[in-house]
Amino acid sequence: MLLRSLNSYTVARGDDIADAVTIGDDVLSRSDILGAATSVAERIMGAQRVAVLARPTVSTVIAVIGALIAGVPVVPVPPDSGPAELDHILADSGAQAWLGVAPEHDGGVPSVPVRLHARSWHSYAEPPVTATAFVLYTSGTTGPPKGVLLSRGAIENGLDALAEAWAWTANDVLVHGLPLYHVHGLILGILGPLRIGSRVIHTVKPTPESYAAAPGTIYFGVPTVWSRIADDPEAAGHLRGARLLVSGSAALPVPVFEKLTELTGLAPIERYGMSETLITISTRADGERRPGWVGVPVRGVETRLRDEAGNDVPHDGESIGGLQVRGPMTFEGYLNNADATAKSTTQDGWFVTGDVAVIGPDGFHRIVGRESTDLIKTGGFRVGAGEVETALLGHPSVREVAVVGVPDPDLGQRIVAYVVGEDVIEKDLIDHVASQLSVHKRPREIKSVESLPRNAMGKVQKSRLE
Protein backbone atom coordinates (compact mmCIF):
# COMPACT_ATOMS: atom_id res chain seq x y z
CA MET A 1 0.00 0.00 0.00
CA LEU A 2 1.41 3.38 -1.03
CA LEU A 3 0.30 5.18 2.15
CA ARG A 4 0.71 2.39 4.67
CA SER A 5 0.07 4.45 7.81
CA LEU A 6 -3.40 5.42 6.48
CA ASN A 7 -4.54 1.82 6.22
CA SER A 8 -8.04 1.71 7.73
CA TYR A 9 -7.12 -1.39 9.75
CA THR A 10 -4.06 0.37 11.16
CA VAL A 11 -6.09 3.40 12.25
CA ALA A 12 -8.92 1.30 13.69
CA ARG A 13 -6.41 -0.84 15.59
CA GLY A 14 -5.45 2.17 17.67
CA ASP A 15 -2.38 3.36 15.76
CA ASP A 16 -3.96 6.73 15.05
CA ILE A 17 -1.68 9.71 15.66
CA ALA A 18 -3.36 12.97 16.67
CA ASP A 19 -0.72 15.15 14.99
CA ALA A 20 0.24 13.07 11.95
CA VAL A 21 0.30 16.19 9.73
CA THR A 22 0.69 19.75 10.98
CA ILE A 23 0.61 22.67 8.55
CA GLY A 24 0.87 26.04 10.24
CA ASP A 25 -1.82 26.05 12.93
CA ASP A 26 -3.84 23.20 11.40
CA VAL A 27 -3.37 19.67 12.72
CA LEU A 28 -4.67 16.42 11.24
CA SER A 29 -4.72 12.96 12.77
CA ARG A 30 -4.41 9.85 10.64
CA SER A 31 -8.14 9.22 10.98
CA ASP A 32 -8.88 12.85 10.01
CA ILE A 33 -6.87 12.39 6.81
CA LEU A 34 -8.31 8.97 5.99
CA GLY A 35 -11.94 9.99 6.60
CA ALA A 36 -11.80 13.31 4.76
CA ALA A 37 -9.71 11.96 1.88
CA THR A 38 -12.01 8.98 1.38
CA SER A 39 -14.93 11.41 1.20
CA VAL A 40 -13.03 13.23 -1.57
CA ALA A 41 -12.34 9.94 -3.33
CA GLU A 42 -16.07 9.17 -3.49
CA ARG A 43 -16.73 12.38 -5.42
CA ILE A 44 -14.00 11.92 -8.05
CA MET A 45 -13.97 8.17 -8.55
CA GLY A 46 -13.61 7.39 -12.26
CA ALA A 47 -12.13 10.76 -13.25
CA GLN A 48 -9.24 10.77 -15.72
CA ARG A 49 -7.07 13.36 -13.95
CA VAL A 50 -7.59 16.18 -11.45
CA ALA A 51 -5.60 19.37 -10.85
CA VAL A 52 -4.72 20.58 -7.35
CA LEU A 53 -3.64 24.15 -6.66
CA ALA A 54 -0.84 23.06 -4.35
CA ARG A 55 -0.87 25.71 -1.64
CA PRO A 56 0.72 24.83 1.73
CA THR A 57 -2.58 23.91 3.39
CA VAL A 58 -4.22 20.83 4.89
CA SER A 59 -6.80 21.05 2.09
CA THR A 60 -4.02 20.33 -0.41
CA VAL A 61 -3.01 17.24 1.58
CA ILE A 62 -6.59 15.96 1.74
CA ALA A 63 -7.10 16.59 -1.99
CA VAL A 64 -3.93 14.73 -2.99
CA ILE A 65 -4.59 11.77 -0.67
CA GLY A 66 -8.20 11.60 -1.82
CA ALA A 67 -7.14 11.34 -5.44
CA LEU A 68 -4.58 8.65 -4.58
CA ILE A 69 -7.25 6.63 -2.74
CA ALA A 70 -9.51 6.92 -5.79
CA GLY A 71 -6.69 5.97 -8.14
CA VAL A 72 -7.04 9.27 -10.01
CA PRO A 73 -3.76 10.85 -11.19
CA VAL A 74 -3.00 14.19 -9.54
CA VAL A 75 -1.64 17.23 -11.39
CA PRO A 76 -0.08 19.52 -8.72
CA VAL A 77 -0.08 23.13 -9.91
CA PRO A 78 2.20 25.85 -8.50
CA PRO A 79 0.07 28.57 -6.85
CA ASP A 80 2.02 31.33 -8.60
CA SER A 81 1.46 29.95 -12.11
CA GLY A 82 0.59 32.56 -14.73
CA PRO A 83 -2.40 32.27 -17.09
CA ALA A 84 -0.36 30.91 -20.01
CA GLU A 85 1.26 28.24 -17.84
CA LEU A 86 -2.10 27.28 -16.32
CA ASP A 87 -3.70 26.96 -19.74
CA HIS A 88 -0.87 24.73 -20.95
CA ILE A 89 -0.97 22.45 -17.89
CA LEU A 90 -4.74 22.07 -18.01
CA ALA A 91 -4.88 21.41 -21.75
CA ASP A 92 -1.88 19.06 -21.81
CA SER A 93 -2.92 17.06 -18.75
CA GLY A 94 -6.59 16.85 -19.61
CA ALA A 95 -7.48 17.57 -15.98
CA GLN A 96 -11.26 17.39 -15.66
CA ALA A 97 -11.59 19.35 -12.43
CA TRP A 98 -9.84 21.45 -9.84
CA LEU A 99 -9.86 19.48 -6.62
CA GLY A 100 -10.34 22.08 -3.90
CA VAL A 101 -9.82 25.81 -4.42
CA ALA A 102 -9.32 26.87 -8.03
CA PRO A 103 -7.16 29.84 -9.08
CA GLU A 104 -8.76 33.03 -10.34
CA HIS A 105 -7.77 31.96 -13.85
CA ASP A 106 -9.33 28.49 -13.73
CA GLY A 107 -9.17 27.78 -17.47
CA GLY A 108 -12.88 27.04 -17.56
CA VAL A 109 -12.35 23.84 -15.56
CA PRO A 110 -14.92 23.20 -12.79
CA SER A 111 -13.92 22.69 -9.17
CA VAL A 112 -14.84 19.95 -6.71
CA PRO A 113 -14.85 21.14 -3.08
CA VAL A 114 -12.65 19.54 -0.44
CA ARG A 115 -14.51 19.42 2.88
CA LEU A 116 -12.12 19.00 5.78
CA HIS A 117 -14.78 17.77 8.20
CA ALA A 118 -16.53 15.34 5.85
CA ARG A 119 -15.95 11.69 6.68
CA SER A 120 -16.31 8.44 4.79
CA TRP A 121 -15.06 5.06 5.90
CA HIS A 122 -15.70 3.22 2.67
CA SER A 123 -12.83 0.95 1.71
CA TYR A 124 -11.42 0.97 -1.82
CA ALA A 125 -9.10 -1.53 -3.44
CA GLU A 126 -5.49 -0.39 -3.78
CA PRO A 127 -4.75 0.57 -7.41
CA PRO A 128 -2.00 -1.42 -9.16
CA VAL A 129 1.60 -0.29 -8.71
CA THR A 130 1.76 0.48 -12.43
CA ALA A 131 -1.04 3.07 -12.17
CA THR A 132 -0.04 6.70 -12.63
CA ALA A 133 -0.09 8.63 -9.36
CA PHE A 134 1.14 12.07 -10.47
CA VAL A 135 1.69 14.18 -13.54
CA LEU A 136 4.42 16.61 -12.44
CA TYR A 137 5.17 19.48 -14.80
CA THR A 138 8.84 20.29 -15.13
CA SER A 139 10.13 23.85 -15.40
CA GLY A 140 12.31 23.22 -18.44
CA THR A 141 14.56 25.95 -19.81
CA THR A 142 13.17 25.59 -23.33
CA GLY A 143 9.61 25.06 -24.52
CA PRO A 144 6.52 24.61 -22.37
CA PRO A 145 6.71 22.42 -19.24
CA LYS A 146 6.54 18.66 -19.83
CA GLY A 147 4.28 16.37 -17.82
CA VAL A 148 6.28 13.69 -15.99
CA LEU A 149 4.30 10.49 -15.40
CA LEU A 150 5.12 8.91 -12.02
CA SER A 151 3.63 5.55 -11.09
CA ARG A 152 2.63 4.43 -7.61
CA GLY A 153 5.33 1.78 -7.75
CA ALA A 154 8.02 4.32 -8.57
CA ILE A 155 7.02 6.39 -5.54
CA GLU A 156 6.94 3.35 -3.26
CA ASN A 157 10.39 2.25 -4.39
CA GLY A 158 11.80 5.77 -4.13
CA LEU A 159 10.53 6.37 -0.60
CA ASP A 160 11.58 2.96 0.65
CA ALA A 161 15.10 3.46 -0.71
CA LEU A 162 15.37 6.77 1.15
CA ALA A 163 14.00 5.26 4.34
CA GLU A 164 16.82 2.71 4.17
CA ALA A 165 19.53 5.27 3.32
CA TRP A 166 18.47 7.74 6.00
CA ALA A 167 17.34 5.21 8.65
CA TRP A 168 13.98 7.03 8.47
CA THR A 169 11.41 5.43 10.79
CA ALA A 170 8.02 6.03 12.36
CA ASN A 171 9.82 7.54 15.37
CA ASP A 172 11.03 10.52 13.32
CA VAL A 173 9.41 13.94 13.05
CA LEU A 174 10.02 15.63 9.71
CA VAL A 175 10.06 19.45 9.53
CA HIS A 176 10.05 21.48 6.31
CA GLY A 177 8.41 24.47 4.65
CA LEU A 178 8.87 23.53 0.99
CA PRO A 179 6.32 23.93 -1.85
CA LEU A 180 3.79 21.12 -2.16
CA TYR A 181 3.81 20.83 -5.94
CA HIS A 182 7.03 18.94 -6.56
CA VAL A 183 9.10 15.93 -5.53
CA HIS A 184 10.93 17.49 -2.59
CA GLY A 185 8.05 19.05 -0.66
CA LEU A 186 5.11 16.86 -1.70
CA ILE A 187 6.34 13.33 -2.44
CA LEU A 188 9.24 13.22 0.00
CA GLY A 189 7.85 15.75 2.46
CA ILE A 190 4.21 14.61 2.75
CA LEU A 191 3.83 11.16 1.20
CA GLY A 192 7.09 10.02 2.80
CA PRO A 193 5.83 10.44 6.38
CA LEU A 194 2.43 8.94 5.46
CA ARG A 195 4.15 5.85 4.05
CA ILE A 196 6.75 5.48 6.77
CA GLY A 197 4.43 6.45 9.63
CA SER A 198 6.38 9.43 10.94
CA ARG A 199 4.91 12.81 11.80
CA VAL A 200 5.41 15.86 9.59
CA ILE A 201 5.35 19.55 10.52
CA HIS A 202 5.06 21.93 7.57
CA THR A 203 6.07 25.45 8.58
CA VAL A 204 4.22 27.13 5.63
CA LYS A 205 7.31 29.28 5.01
CA PRO A 206 10.85 27.93 5.35
CA THR A 207 12.26 30.66 7.57
CA PRO A 208 15.03 30.20 10.15
CA GLU A 209 12.59 31.23 12.88
CA SER A 210 9.93 28.67 11.85
CA TYR A 211 12.45 25.85 11.61
CA ALA A 212 13.90 26.74 15.00
CA ALA A 213 10.42 26.73 16.55
CA ALA A 214 9.44 23.29 15.19
CA PRO A 215 10.81 20.33 17.16
CA GLY A 216 11.91 17.66 14.71
CA THR A 217 14.44 14.92 14.06
CA ILE A 218 14.75 15.44 10.27
CA TYR A 219 14.71 18.82 8.52
CA PHE A 220 14.36 19.29 4.74
CA GLY A 221 15.62 22.43 3.02
CA VAL A 222 16.99 23.80 -0.22
CA PRO A 223 20.34 25.64 -0.22
CA THR A 224 18.69 29.06 0.12
CA VAL A 225 16.97 27.87 3.32
CA TRP A 226 20.18 26.42 4.75
CA SER A 227 22.16 29.51 3.83
CA ARG A 228 19.73 31.68 5.79
CA ILE A 229 19.84 29.33 8.76
CA ALA A 230 23.66 29.32 8.64
CA ASP A 231 23.51 33.13 8.84
CA ASP A 232 21.31 32.91 11.96
CA PRO A 233 23.37 31.18 14.68
CA GLU A 234 20.54 31.35 17.21
CA ALA A 235 18.11 29.54 14.88
CA ALA A 236 20.79 27.06 13.85
CA GLY A 237 21.46 26.26 17.50
CA HIS A 238 17.88 25.02 17.91
CA LEU A 239 18.56 22.28 15.36
CA ARG A 240 21.36 20.69 17.37
CA GLY A 241 18.98 18.05 18.71
CA ALA A 242 18.00 16.86 15.24
CA ARG A 243 19.16 13.64 13.62
CA LEU A 244 19.43 14.71 9.95
CA LEU A 245 19.57 17.99 8.02
CA VAL A 246 18.77 17.15 4.39
CA SER A 247 19.61 19.49 1.52
CA GLY A 248 18.50 19.08 -2.07
CA SER A 249 17.05 20.55 -5.28
CA ALA A 250 20.33 22.40 -5.94
CA ALA A 251 23.98 22.15 -4.92
CA LEU A 252 24.72 23.17 -1.32
CA PRO A 253 27.69 25.58 -1.32
CA VAL A 254 30.63 24.12 0.58
CA PRO A 255 30.93 27.16 2.90
CA VAL A 256 27.27 26.71 3.92
CA PHE A 257 27.87 22.99 4.52
CA GLU A 258 30.83 23.77 6.76
CA LYS A 259 29.06 26.54 8.67
CA LEU A 260 25.99 24.38 9.32
CA THR A 261 28.22 21.60 10.60
CA GLU A 262 29.92 24.01 12.96
CA LEU A 263 26.70 25.59 14.27
CA THR A 264 24.53 22.47 14.59
CA GLY A 265 27.06 19.70 15.10
CA LEU A 266 25.45 17.92 12.11
CA ALA A 267 27.06 17.50 8.69
CA PRO A 268 24.19 17.88 6.19
CA ILE A 269 22.87 15.00 4.12
CA GLU A 270 23.01 15.89 0.42
CA ARG A 271 21.10 14.03 -2.25
CA TYR A 272 20.41 14.18 -5.98
CA GLY A 273 17.30 13.55 -8.00
CA MET A 274 14.89 14.83 -10.62
CA SER A 275 11.16 14.84 -11.26
CA GLU A 276 11.78 12.00 -13.72
CA THR A 277 13.77 9.81 -11.34
CA LEU A 278 12.87 10.84 -7.78
CA ILE A 279 15.96 10.59 -5.54
CA THR A 280 18.63 8.30 -6.97
CA ILE A 281 21.83 9.33 -5.14
CA SER A 282 22.35 10.34 -1.51
CA THR A 283 24.80 10.42 1.33
CA ARG A 284 23.74 8.01 4.03
CA ALA A 285 22.82 8.43 7.68
CA ASP A 286 25.52 5.91 8.57
CA GLY A 287 28.08 7.02 5.98
CA GLU A 288 30.50 9.78 5.06
CA ARG A 289 29.13 13.25 4.29
CA ARG A 290 31.57 14.98 2.02
CA PRO A 291 31.15 18.71 1.20
CA GLY A 292 30.33 19.23 -2.47
CA TRP A 293 29.42 15.57 -3.09
CA VAL A 294 25.95 13.99 -3.12
CA GLY A 295 26.91 10.45 -2.12
CA VAL A 296 26.23 7.03 -3.60
CA PRO A 297 23.29 5.42 -5.44
CA VAL A 298 20.37 4.49 -3.20
CA ARG A 299 19.10 0.92 -3.10
CA GLY A 300 18.17 -0.42 -6.53
CA VAL A 301 19.84 2.38 -8.52
CA GLU A 302 22.70 2.12 -11.02
CA THR A 303 24.60 5.10 -12.45
CA ARG A 304 27.12 5.62 -15.23
CA LEU A 305 28.96 8.42 -17.04
CA ARG A 306 29.13 8.82 -20.82
CA ASP A 307 31.07 11.24 -23.02
CA GLU A 308 29.66 12.96 -26.11
CA ALA A 309 30.48 9.92 -28.26
CA GLY A 310 28.69 7.56 -25.88
CA ASN A 311 31.86 6.08 -24.43
CA ASP A 312 32.43 5.24 -20.76
CA VAL A 313 34.00 7.97 -18.61
CA PRO A 314 36.32 6.67 -15.90
CA HIS A 315 35.27 6.87 -12.24
CA ASP A 316 38.46 8.60 -11.18
CA GLY A 317 37.04 11.55 -9.25
CA GLU A 318 38.17 14.01 -11.93
CA SER A 319 36.73 13.12 -15.35
CA ILE A 320 33.43 14.79 -16.23
CA GLY A 321 30.70 12.93 -18.10
CA GLY A 322 26.99 12.93 -18.77
CA LEU A 323 25.16 11.22 -15.91
CA GLN A 324 22.76 8.38 -16.71
CA VAL A 325 20.69 6.47 -14.14
CA ARG A 326 18.59 3.32 -14.00
CA GLY A 327 16.33 2.18 -11.20
CA PRO A 328 12.80 1.22 -10.07
CA MET A 329 11.79 4.79 -9.18
CA THR A 330 12.17 6.29 -12.66
CA PHE A 331 9.24 7.77 -14.56
CA GLU A 332 6.98 6.18 -17.18
CA GLY A 333 7.61 8.90 -19.75
CA TYR A 334 6.40 12.37 -20.68
CA LEU A 335 2.67 12.83 -21.19
CA ASN A 336 1.75 13.41 -24.86
CA ASN A 337 5.43 13.67 -25.81
CA ALA A 338 6.81 10.42 -27.17
CA ASP A 339 9.71 12.20 -28.89
CA ALA A 340 10.97 13.73 -25.63
CA THR A 341 10.57 10.39 -23.87
CA ALA A 342 12.61 8.64 -26.55
CA LYS A 343 15.37 11.27 -26.47
CA SER A 344 15.72 10.93 -22.70
CA THR A 345 16.15 7.15 -22.73
CA THR A 346 19.03 5.12 -24.17
CA GLN A 347 18.47 1.99 -26.21
CA ASP A 348 19.57 -0.14 -23.26
CA GLY A 349 17.13 1.52 -20.86
CA TRP A 350 19.08 4.24 -19.02
CA PHE A 351 17.63 7.68 -18.32
CA VAL A 352 19.76 10.54 -19.63
CA THR A 353 19.62 13.13 -16.88
CA GLY A 354 21.11 16.04 -18.83
CA ASP A 355 23.43 16.65 -15.88
CA VAL A 356 27.18 16.25 -15.89
CA ALA A 357 28.96 14.66 -12.97
CA VAL A 358 32.11 13.14 -11.57
CA ILE A 359 32.23 9.73 -9.86
CA GLY A 360 35.09 8.79 -7.57
CA PRO A 361 36.71 5.35 -7.23
CA ASP A 362 34.71 4.92 -4.01
CA GLY A 363 31.40 5.51 -5.83
CA PHE A 364 30.82 9.01 -4.47
CA HIS A 365 29.16 11.39 -6.95
CA ARG A 366 29.73 15.11 -7.47
CA ILE A 367 27.20 16.90 -9.67
CA VAL A 368 28.84 19.48 -11.92
CA GLY A 369 25.52 20.84 -13.15
CA ARG A 370 23.37 20.91 -16.27
CA GLU A 371 25.19 19.89 -19.42
CA SER A 372 23.54 22.76 -21.30
CA THR A 373 24.63 25.51 -18.87
CA ASP A 374 27.23 24.17 -16.43
CA LEU A 375 29.65 22.34 -18.71
CA ILE A 376 31.86 25.06 -20.15
CA LYS A 377 34.16 24.28 -23.09
CA THR A 378 36.88 26.89 -23.05
CA GLY A 379 40.17 26.88 -24.93
CA GLY A 380 39.94 23.14 -25.50
CA PHE A 381 39.24 22.36 -21.81
CA ARG A 382 36.03 21.06 -20.20
CA VAL A 383 35.30 23.04 -17.02
CA GLY A 384 32.47 22.47 -14.55
CA ALA A 385 30.79 25.68 -13.45
CA GLY A 386 30.19 24.26 -9.97
CA GLU A 387 33.90 23.85 -9.30
CA VAL A 388 34.54 27.50 -10.11
CA GLU A 389 31.53 28.57 -8.03
CA THR A 390 32.83 26.63 -5.02
CA ALA A 391 36.23 28.31 -5.32
CA LEU A 392 34.66 31.76 -5.51
CA LEU A 393 32.44 31.09 -2.49
CA GLY A 394 35.61 30.55 -0.51
CA HIS A 395 36.49 34.24 -0.95
CA PRO A 396 35.25 36.49 1.90
CA SER A 397 33.76 39.03 -0.52
CA VAL A 398 31.39 36.52 -2.13
CA ARG A 399 27.96 35.59 -0.72
CA GLU A 400 26.38 34.05 -3.83
CA VAL A 401 27.70 33.26 -7.29
CA ALA A 402 26.64 31.78 -10.61
CA VAL A 403 29.20 30.85 -13.27
CA VAL A 404 28.31 30.52 -16.95
CA GLY A 405 30.04 30.11 -20.27
CA VAL A 406 29.36 32.77 -22.88
CA PRO A 407 30.31 32.60 -26.57
CA ASP A 408 33.85 33.76 -27.31
CA PRO A 409 35.47 33.92 -30.80
CA ASP A 410 38.86 32.85 -29.47
CA LEU A 411 38.10 30.44 -26.61
CA GLY A 412 34.80 29.02 -27.81
CA GLN A 413 33.35 29.96 -24.44
CA ARG A 414 34.75 32.24 -21.80
CA ILE A 415 34.01 31.82 -18.11
CA VAL A 416 31.92 34.63 -16.59
CA ALA A 417 30.95 34.81 -12.91
CA TYR A 418 27.93 36.72 -11.57
CA VAL A 419 28.70 37.61 -7.97
CA VAL A 420 26.58 38.85 -5.06
CA GLY A 421 28.78 40.24 -2.31
CA GLU A 422 30.52 43.18 -0.70
CA ASP A 423 33.64 45.01 -1.89
CA VAL A 424 33.85 42.85 -5.02
CA ILE A 425 37.14 43.47 -6.84
CA GLU A 426 37.37 41.67 -10.17
CA LYS A 427 41.12 41.03 -10.21
CA ASP A 428 41.12 39.69 -6.65
CA LEU A 429 38.45 37.13 -7.45
CA ILE A 430 40.04 36.02 -10.72
CA ASP A 431 43.41 35.62 -9.01
CA HIS A 432 41.75 33.74 -6.13
CA VAL A 433 40.30 31.12 -8.49
CA ALA A 434 43.60 30.81 -10.39
CA SER A 435 45.36 30.14 -7.08
CA GLN A 436 42.83 27.46 -6.08
CA LEU A 437 42.25 25.69 -9.42
CA SER A 438 43.98 25.26 -12.75
CA VAL A 439 44.63 28.61 -14.37
CA HIS A 440 42.38 27.81 -17.36
CA LYS A 441 39.43 27.56 -14.93
CA ARG A 442 39.66 31.19 -13.82
CA PRO A 443 36.80 33.54 -14.78
CA ARG A 444 37.64 35.94 -17.57
CA GLU A 445 35.03 38.38 -16.29
CA ILE A 446 33.33 39.14 -12.96
CA LYS A 447 29.93 40.83 -12.92
CA SER A 448 28.70 42.22 -9.62
CA VAL A 449 24.90 41.89 -9.21
CA GLU A 450 22.41 42.59 -6.43
CA SER A 451 20.81 39.13 -6.58
CA LEU A 452 20.64 35.95 -8.63
CA PRO A 453 17.40 34.88 -10.33
CA ARG A 454 16.02 31.76 -8.63
CA ASN A 455 12.94 29.60 -8.95
CA ALA A 456 10.69 28.54 -6.06
CA MET A 457 13.00 25.63 -5.20
CA GLY A 458 16.03 27.90 -4.87
CA LYS A 459 17.71 26.88 -8.12
CA VAL A 460 19.55 29.64 -9.94
CA GLN A 461 18.00 30.28 -13.35
CA LYS A 462 21.15 30.86 -15.37
CA SER A 463 19.21 31.42 -18.59
CA ARG A 464 18.00 34.72 -17.08
CA LEU A 465 21.50 36.05 -16.44
CA GLU A 466 22.57 38.76 -18.86
Side-chain angles (χ1 to χ4, degrees), residues 49-53 73-77 89 93 95 98 133-137:
R49 294 184 192 95
V50 292
V52 174
L53 191 65
V74 182
V75 183
V77 178
I89 291 174
S93 70
W98 288 100
F134 289 97
V135 184
L136 296 181
Y137 277 84

Side-chain angles (χ1 to χ4, degrees), residues 28-200:
L28 297 175
S29 69
R30 285 178 181 168
S31 59
D32 289 336
I33 299 169
L34 180 62
T38 304
S39 177
V40 168
E42 289 181 346
R43 296 198 295 278
I44 62 171
M45 189 65 65
Q48 180 184 18
R49 294 184 192 95
V50 292
V52 174
L53 191 65
R55 303 172 302 155
T57 65
V58 292
S59 295
T60 294
V61 174
I62 297 299
V64 169
I65 303 306
L68 291 175
I69 290 173
V72 177
V74 182
V75 183
V77 178
D80 61 351
S81 298
E85 185 178 7
L86 284 168
D87 287 340
H88 167 71
I89 291 174
L90 293 171
D92 189 65
S93 70
Q96 295 168 293
W98 288 100
L99 192 49
V101 175
E104 184 176 350
H105 181 85
D106 61 13
V109 175
S111 61
V112 175
V114 170
R115 300 184 178 95
L116 297 181
H117 301 292
R119 295 290 183 271
S120 171
W121 305 112
H122 187 83
S123 182
Y124 292 100
E126 178 79 0
V129 294
T130 55
T132 299
F134 289 97
V135 184
L136 296 181
Y137 277 84
T138 63
S139 53
T141 55
T142 59
K146 299 189 293 289
V148 174
L149 298 170
L150 288 175
S151 71
R152 300 173 76 94
I155 293 169
E156 290 177 7
N157 281 295
L159 293 176
D160 289 350
L162 287 182
E164 190 274 333
W166 298 345
W168 186 358
T169 74
N171 294 322
D172 282 304
V173 177
L174 171 63
V175 176
H176 74 93
L178 302 174
L180 298 187
Y181 53 82
H182 224 278
V183 168
H184 199 167
L186 177 58
I187 295 180
L188 274 60
I190 297 295
L191 300 194
L194 292 177
R195 179 168 179 78
I196 292 163
S198 61
R199 295 171 172 83
V200 58

Side-chain angles (χ1 to χ4, degrees), residues 240 257-266:
R240 293 190 71 88
F257 181 107
E258 293 173 340
K259 196 170 181 181
L260 276 176
T261 304
E262 176 186 350
L263 291 172
T264 66
L266 295 167

Side-chain angles (χ1 to χ4, degrees), residues 439-460:
V439 174
H440 68 263
K441 297 180 180 180
R442 72 193 186 282
R444 301 302 178 115
E445 186 178 358
I446 302 288
K447 294 190 175 183
S448 182
V449 294
E450 299 242 343
S451 63
L452 300 176
R454 297 180 183 271
N455 65 16
M457 296 302 291
K459 294 182 180 179
V460 176

